Amino acid sequence: MLAVVGAAICCLAAVAGAQAAGAGADVLKVRLGGDLTETRIVIDLNRSATGKVAADGADDRRVVLNLPGVSVEGGLQGGGLGLVKAWVVDDGPGGARLRLDLAADATIKRRFLLPPADGVSNYRYVVDLAAKAPGPVQVAQTTGARFLSAPIKPIKAALPLKKVIVIDAGHGGKDPGARGAAGNEKDVTLAAARALKSQLEKTGRYKVVMTRDTDIYVDHGVRVQIARRADADLFISLHADSGSDASLRGASVYTLADRATGRSAKFVSKDDWFMQAGTHGDNGVSTILLDLTQRMTRNRSATFAEVLLNRVSDHQPLLRRSHREAGLAVLLAPDVPAVLLEMGFITNADDEAVLRDPSRRTRLMSGVADAIDDYFGQQTKLASR
């Protein structure tokens, strides 16, 4: 009997692993129909799938729906119709991700999965949007329930919807950080964060969220949750290093150490998609899916760290061992690629001069912004192959 139970558990683990690795359902196409009162999005799939809303559009007209275990080859995108201004289906943490830019204030009215039926051979994941206030009708009333998808032409190209970047200015408020000759670490990290935010927003390609924009203290766990609630594509924590040797200088980047991934579980709730994806709430399946998501996140974090070091080295010397791993609390989000950048040593006169001079600090943040462009450009090239 124990052997049978063990075999069943192994089989379940294998299935869960295959789904989380993208061996489950595939996105076939996306269709839109409706008007500015109600709009329907239909995702055609070759297999059954579940969805989890990460952002409902209430704050910024941006809807994000995660599809665990679903894969999308190369990514898909298209123009809008009705309440949808534009849409993208691309790779997210542990599966595909539908992102919508809304043309008006709207809410998700319902979501459901339709199995193959009535001559349709594939599954259909349906999302219905409803305007918060009545708007002008784009589709003639005589169309009734007829589904209009002709105007939508999916293409494989650079993604038009903005990537979400969370910038974390280290320390703050009651926590001054390291002390330099001319002041505290918390001041230079905030100045650098503001400079980076300005440069990213000028491109029009990013939505930037700051964990703090004033001299206040934000708990490390709250910083992680800010990134997760924003459905961030990238989290960057800015710091200035310190050392007992005043001659020591140079930048470095930290990513999460493998030994620390177990601590990520405290940021996971029963509402997370990898918890919901477990069959009938099976904790073993959820744990496997969480582990696979963490591995993917760590790999993406390491990739960005190398790209970041390459760009930062144009403006600042690097420590000899410049890519390091640690169990830092701000890096613990299981599903958000994250790095901590030590911009230099505030205890070194040359590094502190770079961090305190507005023009030199801006050039350093230009390197960080270039690294972000490189990283997402690299993802797009890989997806288009």
Side-chain angles (χ1 to χ4, degrees), residues 57-74:
D59 296 329
D60 55 3
R61 293 186 178 181
R62 185 174 184 268
V63 172
V64 180
L65 175 74
N66 290 320
L67 296 166
V70 176
S71 61
V72 52
E73 184 180 354

Side-chain angles (χ1 to χ4, degrees), residues 41 43 50-68 93 96-100 102 106-112 125-129 228-231 269-274 276-277 335:
I41 302 97
I43 306 171
T50 60
K52 164 66 176 162
V53 175
D56 63 5
D59 296 329
D60 55 3
R61 293 186 178 181
R62 185 174 184 268
V63 172
V64 180
L65 175 74
N66 290 320
L67 296 166
R97 174 178 58 179
L98 169 69
R99 294 183 291 148
L100 307 172
L102 302 183
T107 58
I108 296 177
K109 186 175 181 180
R110 67 177 71 87
R111 296 181 291 125
F112 54 91
Y125 193 94
V126 180
V127 180
D128 283 339
L129 300 174
R228 298 198 71 216
R229 285 196 298 267
D231 194 45
S269 71
K270 64 182 180 180
D271 294 326
D272 284 295
W273 67 261
F274 26 73
Q276 292 187 339
D335 48 0

Side-chain angles (χ1 to χ4, degrees), residues 22-307:
D26 295 322
V27 176
L28 304 177
K29 60 182 175 180
V30 177
R31 297 175 288 142
L32 272 67
D35 52 39
L36 279 174
T37 300
E38 290 195 10
T39 303
R40 170 167 290 186
I41 302 97
V42 179
I43 306 171
D44 287 333
L45 305 162
N46 64 342
R47 297 180 188 176
S48 176
T50 60
K52 164 66 176 162
V53 175
D56 63 5
D59 296 329
D60 55 3
R61 293 186 178 181
R62 185 174 184 268
V63 172
V64 180
L65 175 74
N66 290 320
L67 296 166
V70 176
S71 61
V72 52
E73 184 180 354
L76 295 172
Q77 68 183 53
L81 181 73
L83 293 167
V84 178
K85 183 190 298 182
W87 61 269
V88 168
V89 180
D90 62 353
D91 288 323
R97 174 178 58 179
L98 169 69
R99 294 183 291 148
L100 307 172
D101 266 357
L102 302 183
D105 293 336
T107 58
I108 296 177
K109 186 175 181 180
R110 67 177 71 87
R111 296 181 291 125
F112 54 91
L113 181 73
L114 291 174
D118 300 326
V120 179
S121 60
N122 53 265
Y123 287 85
R124 291 148 290 167
Y125 193 94
V126 180
V127 180
D128 283 339
L129 300 174
K132 289 186 177 179
V137 175
Q138 283 189 332
V139 180
Q141 295 298 322
T142 55
T143 60
R146 186 165 65 89
F147 193 83
L148 303 179
S149 59
I152 306 305
K153 184 180 180 181
I155 57 174
K156 295 181 180 180
L159 305 180
L161 297 189
K162 294 180 180 181
K163 297 291 186 180
V164 178
I165 312 297
V166 173
I167 304 175
D168 174 46
H171 306 282
K174 66 181 182 180
D175 176 15
R179 174 75 183 179
N184 296 317
E185 178 184 1
K186 67 176 183 177
D187 301 317
V188 296
T189 60
L190 182 56
R194 288 171 172 168
L196 178 57
K197 178 178 185 287
S198 176
Q199 294 188 45
L200 290 176
E201 289 181 337
K202 284 179 182 177
T203 68
R205 292 188 291 272
Y206 304 103
K207 174 188 173 183
V208 179
V209 176
M210 301 271 281
T211 60
R212 70 178 184 98
D213 195 22
T214 58
D215 184 20
I216 60 172
Y217 175 74
V218 181
D219 184 81
H220 292 150
V222 173
R223 298 176 196 234
V224 174
Q225 294 293 16
I226 288 172
R228 298 198 71 216
R229 285 196 298 267
D231 194 45
D233 294 285
L234 195 60
F235 176 93
I236 305 172
S237 187
L238 299 177
H239 286 256
D241 218 335
S242 64
S244 56
D245 183 355
S247 66
L248 187 63
R249 68 172 305 196
S252 60
V253 174
Y254 285 84
T255 54
L256 188 66
D258 184 56
R259 65 180 182 276
T261 53
R263 293 167 56 200
S264 296
K266 72 177 183 179
F267 294 105
V268 176
S269 71
K270 64 182 180 180
D271 294 326
D272 284 295
W273 67 261
F274 26 73
M275 301 301 290
Q276 292 187 339
T279 304
H280 303 298
D282 188 288
N283 289 332
V285 174
S286 298
T287 299
I288 293 167
L289 293 171
L290 174 60
D291 179 64
L292 290 168
T293 301
Q294 288 175 315
R295 290 186 203 176
M296 182 183 298
T297 299
R298 287 187 66 236
N299 289 339
R300 291 180 176 178
S301 300
T303 298
F304 175 66
E306 294 301 323
V307 174

Side-chain angles (χ1 to χ4, degrees), residues 4 22 86 94 132 145 151 168 192-193 232 257 325 354-355 362:
V4 173
K132 289 186 177 179
D168 174 46
E325 293 186 344
V354 171
L355 298 178
T362 297

